[in-house]
Amino acid sequence: MTDAQSRSFPHRHLLGISDLDAADIVQILDLGDTFLEIGERPIKKVPTLRGRTVINLFFENSTRTRTSFEIAAKRMSADTINISASSSSTTKGETLIDTGRNLDAMRPDVVVVRHSFGGAPHVLARHIDAAVVNAGDGQHEHPTQALLDAATIRRHKGKVDGLEVAIVGDLAHSRVARSNLLCLTKLGARVRLCAPWTLVPRGIELIGGDLTRERTRITTRLEEALDGADVVMMLRVQSERTGGEAPRFANTREFSRQYGLSLRTLDYARRDAIVMHPGPINRGVEMAPEVADGERAVILEQVTWGVAVRMAVLYLLGGGRAEAAIHAGA
Ligand code: CP
């Protein structure tokens, strides 16, 4: 049994990176390291969560997160059920709490929830017995995205501590930016946040108190953000969250010209810098296709790590059996 498997995880739910300390994060990443290899086997299944039930409750669209939670659960032999907003009784007026309590009455072990309302997973966690995992709540947090990003960085750079990470794009609407800012600074990185002022939320550098205040630099200049960066993380403009708002930049072409990552602007970063994106990418807007498909991009590796890291989270919260964590025959 590894240290990551034997350490008692001190949380019932995973609601945000804000609740985790560096040791919790490292435990999840170390477990993710051990689970990654299961995806390379011909038979991609271990009995770790046999008999457990995982419900994916998604009130917002998702390709990567929902699928990878389902694959993660299935690779660990849990029973999985997927519920989307359009197929749930919330369309008939049922509240989130009532939906949660009814699902809980069927005795799932873990409920993975994505919702457009920031704080929805926290509400569920107060009303149900199952462990709750936040799969993205509004503009608040997306903790497993930050964890899989940290795992990807760690694999490529050997560490996170001491790295310079540029996070560029629509900071205003990005739960990925918030979770990454918290996660990366807890692991010792410095973060440059870059966007037009209209897309920089006031006080974002304070979300983790003194730690994020001391380790965050905000700039509106892409070249300054990229200069000497070890990691470049690009964000999509989330137009689905801007309904009814005044425009925050002149037009997409102008935004792309100033903040899009091209082969030319990528030259400001370190020669060995890696390029990341949580997806979905708007090619030609925040990132040129030749960068997205280039040799420095690790975007699809992020997706692969997503399964391993989510296996780690389900293992810790779903009561996984350590002796059966790796060995298919256990
Ligand atoms: N990165 C991410 O959350 O992607 P999905 O919206 O496809 O889940």
Side-chain angles (χ1 to χ4, degrees):
M1 197 189 302
T2 65
D3 289 349
Q5 284 164 356
S6 59
R7 177 182 186 258
S8 167
F9 190 66
H11 304 277
R12 264 194 68 213
H13 310 284
L14 177 58
L15 302 178
I17 299 293
S18 59
D19 299 328
L20 305 182
D21 63 22
D24 301 330
I25 295 169
V26 169
Q27 183 180 13
I28 295 170
L29 300 188
D30 287 350
L31 272 174
D33 281 348
T34 63
F35 289 136
L36 186 76
E37 176 267 326
I38 294 168
E40 305 304 323
R41 297 179 185 174
I43 309 290
K44 301 172 176 56
K45 214 171 187 71
V46 289
T48 321
L49 290 177
R50 187 185 288 153
R52 305 283 201 270
T53 304
V54 176
I55 296 181
N56 286 321
L57 180 58
F58 275 59
F59 294 96
E60 278 190 337
N61 293 340
S62 169
T63 298
R64 282 145 288 265
T65 312
R66 198 199 61 73
T67 310
S68 59
F69 266 115
E70 183 175 358
I71 290 175
K74 286 185 164 152
R75 285 205 177 144
M76 306 184 97
S77 304
D79 297 309
T80 61
I81 294 96
N82 297 311
I83 305 173
S84 64
S86 58
S87 63
S88 81
S89 287
T90 53
T91 58
K92 302 176 195 166
E94 187 172 67
T95 65
L96 173 66
I97 293 172
D98 280 337
T99 299
R101 293 180 68 195
N102 277 271
L103 294 174
D104 204 42
M106 300 178 219
R107 305 287 179 259
D109 297 284
V110 182
V111 175
V112 179
V113 63
R114 170 172 286 193
H115 204 289
S116 57
F117 160 50
H122 305 70
V123 171
L124 265 191
R126 283 199 295 275
H127 288 90
I128 69 176
D129 287 333
V132 175
V133 180
N134 180 357
D137 62 327
Q139 299 165 29
H140 178 225
E141 277 226 44
H142 192 350
T144 56
Q145 179 69 46
L147 292 165
L148 73 90
D149 290 340
T152 309
I153 292 171
R154 212 168 69 145
R155 172 55 58 100
H156 277 271
K157 298 291 175 189
K159 61 175 187 176
V160 177
D161 186 26
L163 295 181
E164 293 282 342
V165 181
I167 304 180
V168 181
D170 182 356
L171 303 170
H173 302 101
S174 179
R175 55 198 178 203
V176 174
R178 285 170 181 76
S179 286
N180 262 299
L181 179 56
L182 291 165
C183 186
L184 293 167
T185 54
K186 284 180 185 197
L187 294 177
R190 294 190 170 276
V191 176
R192 300 106 175 254
L193 297 176
C194 179
W197 280 121
T198 49
L199 286 173
V200 180
R202 189 188 297 261
I204 188 170
E205 72 280 16
L206 303 174
I207 60 169
D210 286 345
L211 182 72
T212 47
R213 185 176 54 77
E214 286 163 11
R215 293 181 171 271
T216 307
R217 184 151 58 85
I218 299 176
T219 175
T220 58
R221 293 187 55 242
L222 180 62
E223 290 78 0
E224 191 182 322
L226 298 182
D227 187 25
D230 299 287
V231 176
V232 181
M233 192 179 290
M234 301 302 295
L235 303 172
R236 180 176 64 91
V237 174
Q238 301 195 28
S239 37
E240 76 274 19
R241 298 195 194 281
T242 57
E245 287 182 3
R248 299 197 188 215
F249 48 87
N251 56 52
T252 303
R253 202 164 144 200
E254 181 68 14
F255 177 85
S256 180
R257 200 178 61 75
Q258 283 194 48
Y259 293 98
L261 189 64
S262 63
L263 288 175
R264 182 189 68 78
T265 50
L266 182 55
D267 262 351
Y268 285 94
R270 285 176 56 99
R271 291 176 74 86
D272 61 352
I274 56 172
V275 175
M276 307 180 74
H277 194 303
I281 301 174
N282 284 329
R283 286 171 179 261
V285 180
E286 69 270 14
M287 190 182 288
E290 54 272 26
V291 176
D293 300 327
E295 59 186 20
R296 294 205 252 175
V298 297
I299 296 163
L300 293 178
E301 285 178 55
Q302 289 173 257
V303 179
T304 303
W305 275 105
V307 176
V309 164
R310 286 168 178 136
M311 286 172 79
V313 169
L314 293 177
Y315 170 86
L316 290 171
L317 299 183
R321 290 188 301 122
E323 71 280 10
I326 301 299
H327 304 296

